[in-house]
Amino acid sequence: MNPQFKKGVLELIVLSIIVKQDQYGYTIIKIILEYISISEGSVYPILRRLVKNQYLDTYYEPSKEGPPRRYYSITEEGKKRLKLLTAEWKSLQEGVDTLLKGSEVK
């Protein structure tokens, strides 16, 4: 898949994962990798930006396997952002689907 397509939707994907349940970075990456191929390093800058913009909060939880893990939780502003991005995605998807109808190359 084109990296630019993925880059544009990763914020939406990350928020949609965290709204369901608080997660730490590595689990977010694992969840995404089940469905699409991404560079693992592409998620952490998005997480930092979402925290900076107050769409996510963070907290630490002890880990049996090493140092405490940094978990991400969605804020009320993050939920509003997710709602906006979801609406934009659906609108874009509908437009692209309409434009692609009948254009399959054989």
Side-chain angles (χ1 to χ4, degrees):
M1 179 183 281
N2 183 314
Q4 290 300 330
F5 287 156
K6 287 188 273 188
K7 185 178 178 184
V9 298
L10 272 178
E11 180 178 337
L12 170 62
I13 291 169
V14 167
L15 288 171
S16 71
I17 291 169
I18 296 172
V19 75
K20 296 172 192 162
Q21 180 179 342
D22 295 359
Q23 300 286 344
Y24 63 98
Y26 182 68
T27 58
I28 295 168
I29 293 166
K30 282 178 43 177
I31 292 167
I32 296 170
L33 285 171
E34 288 180 33
Y35 300 96
I36 59 174
S37 172
I38 59 163
S39 164
E40 292 183 18
S42 62
V43 173
Y44 290 103
I46 291 168
L47 289 169
R48 283 191 296 275
R49 189 177 73 245
L50 290 170
V51 169
K52 181 181 176 190
N53 291 333
Q54 300 180 341
Y55 299 135
L56 297 178
D57 281 330
T58 65
Y59 60 94
Y60 288 89
E61 287 286 328
S63 170
K64 295 177 185 174
E65 301 159 3
R69 292 182 173 151
R70 185 178 190 180
Y71 278 78
Y72 296 87
S73 61
I74 196 162
T75 64
E76 286 304 314
E77 286 302 311
K79 290 176 184 177
K80 291 176 189 174
R81 178 74 175 159
L82 175 58
K83 188 174 182 176
L84 173 69
L85 291 175
T86 301
E88 289 177 353
W89 172 257
K90 288 179 180 179
S91 176
L92 175 65
Q93 183 181 23
E94 288 172 10
V96 171
D97 286 346
T98 300
L99 291 166
L100 290 178
K101 278 185 184 168
S103 67
E104 293 83 16
V105 178
K106 296 178 183 175

